[in-house]
Structures are given as structure tokens and as C-alpha cells.
Amino acid sequence: MLSKESLEEALDQFVQDFIPAMQRWRYHLILAKGGIDYPHLSEQSMLGHVVNGVFALARLLRFVIERKILVVGLDEQTVRKAFALIPIHDAHKLGDFEQMGTSEFSIPLDRLQEEYTKLGLDRFANVDPHLMRAANVSKRSPYQGDIVLSEEKGSLLWLLVRLADSMASMSDLRELGTLQGYLKQLAPEFAPKGGRFRLYTHEVRDVRGVLTNLVHSVISQRLETEYEFYPGLFFATGSLYIGPGQLPSFDRTAFVSSVVDGVLGGVIEQGGAEAKTFVQEGGIRREKYDFQPYVYTFAEPSVL
């Protein structure tokens, strides 16, 4: 049984030990997504891809623990092995090996073990090299023999890595198909029909920097408090949530109105705390000897 404490401990150790290790080995200069072969995708370094995947998987597992969802075989050692496999799951993109066959996944096991050891992951979790290679292979590939050849059961580990990779690869809130497919394999609670939970999103089309962050925050708080939504992934335009399988009546107009009130209240609260600075730095129209209209939202007459 996995506890939240053991999850946090494993995550803390991963961050402290292996993010610096990936930087030393220049993972931040290797593309996982993007470049001339991926003209339709924004660029994402191998380091960024791994970090996004590990943190996304950790958030998902926190939800599993908090909601007491039974996942057979999920314990601290399994989580450690999954975290350790995520930096290796794109090893076929490193390119510094001779393929054993025609598949891009035909990586020699000793090369995978070398990369695993180089990053120091062998001190974090002991993983069968067959599973290191299996973690590179997508669901659509016929090259899945390593899971059978491994000396330990690897199906759950493979699934956890695929979940992490799917979440780290998402560039749009509407790209839910692959993630939904893996979630229903994780536990029946995520089944599309009759499951306790399903995925939801909120999206703000008009992005305006700091104010948009406040809008996202208010929407997320409202959804979490009023509808028991759990924020899973965060994008510049919105958030992805895990929520109830059946949502009670949702009054969109009333919800938007409450969000507007919350955003305005947040502007007044945040702006009021530093009103004098905000007015001095940008709120004064010096050529007209008055103030920008927005300062009246949070600045009292005494400040002006």
C-alpha cells in the first residue's frame, strides 16, 4: 500500500538527486519534443519532459491515495521504479547507440543500463534492464516482448510510465484520448461509463499574463470547493481536473458571475496591499496629471 508520506519522500529524493544529474549530463540541451522533425510541436527538452512527467504522475498518485482507489501492486518500490524509468523512457532519442534491429526501440540492454547508472538511478531503485527498454515502447508498437522477458512483473510499471509520458506530452487541453485510455487501465474507477471519476477541463481563451493567473486560480478554487474537482495538470490557457463521474447541475452563467466577483476581489486584495507601489510605478498619467482608470479598483483616496 502506498502512503502519501512515502510518495513525497520518493519525489523529494528524485528532485534533489536526479534533476541535477540530468543537468550535468546536458539533458536540458537534448530535445524530447520539437526540432525539425516535429514542426507542429513546441520544443520541450528531455529534462523538461522528464520533470513534467514525474510531477504529473505524482499529482495523479496523490489523488489515488486521497480517494483510496485500489491499484493492485502500487507501493513505494513500484513508485520509485516508475520515477526511475521516466528519465530512461526516451532513451531511443539519445541516438548514441547501434540499433539491434529495424525498430527504433531495439536498444542494447547494456546501453540502457549504462544510462541508468550514469544518472545514478541505480541508487534509487533496482530495475530489470528489460523493463528499461519496455518503458521506451508505446502501446501501439508490437515490440513488447521485454515485459515478458523481465524477471519481475512490469505491466503496472509500464502503465505508470505511459501515464507520465502522456501527461508530459500534452500541449493542448483537448488532447485527452490517450490519457483517458491509460487511466481506465489503471483502475475501474476511471472507466468512461460507470466510473467514479472522469476528466474535466477549464480553458480561458483570452490570455493576459498576471491577470489570467488570477482568473485560473479563482476558477480552480471554485471548482475544487463546489464540485470536488482535483487539479491535475496546468497550462497557460487552463487546467485539467479529475472530478466526479456524474456532475450535478452546472449553472455556467452563475459560475462565471461568481468567478468575476472572485477575480475582482482578488485584484482589490492583492492590489490594495501594494497599492502605493502600483500607482507610483504605472498608475500615474503624468501628461494628464491624473491616474490610469484601473487604479480606482484597489487604491483608496488617501493613497491617491
Side-chain angles (χ1 to χ4, degrees), residues 38-157:
Y38 295 87
H40 58 291
L41 292 175
S42 58
E43 293 188 342
Q44 188 181 63
S45 71
M46 194 78 82
L47 175 61
H49 188 62
V50 170
V51 170
N52 288 341
V54 168
F55 275 90
L57 181 61
R59 285 199 66 81
L60 173 61
L61 294 179
R62 285 191 195 102
F63 179 84
V64 168
I65 294 168
E66 291 173 4
R67 299 303 193 278
K68 295 181 172 57
I69 298 172
L70 176 62
V71 177
V72 178
L74 184 63
D75 55 24
E76 181 181 357
Q77 287 305 311
T78 301
V79 168
R80 283 179 168 270
K81 290 177 181 180
F83 284 174
L85 285 174
I86 292 173
I88 303 297
H89 86 278
D90 271 341
H92 60 280
K93 296 179 181 178
L94 297 175
D96 56 347
F97 62 89
E98 184 177 347
Q99 292 182 351
M100 299 168 59
T102 57
S103 168
E104 64 177 329
F105 306 117
S106 58
I107 312 170
L109 293 181
D110 57 354
R111 175 64 186 89
L112 289 166
Q113 185 68 62
E114 176 191 347
E115 192 71 18
Y116 193 82
T117 304
K118 183 174 79 175
L119 293 172
L121 293 164
D122 55 323
R123 301 192 303 271
F124 184 69
N126 183 25
V127 178
D128 187 316
H130 284 288
L131 293 183
M132 297 180 197
R133 187 160 60 192
N136 282 257
V137 184
S138 71
K139 184 180 181 182
R140 294 183 295 274
S141 172
Y143 299 97
Q144 290 288 354
D146 282 299
I147 293 180
V148 179
L149 293 172
S150 171
E151 296 181 359
E152 58 180 306
K153 295 180 180 179
S155 296
L156 177 58
L157 278 175

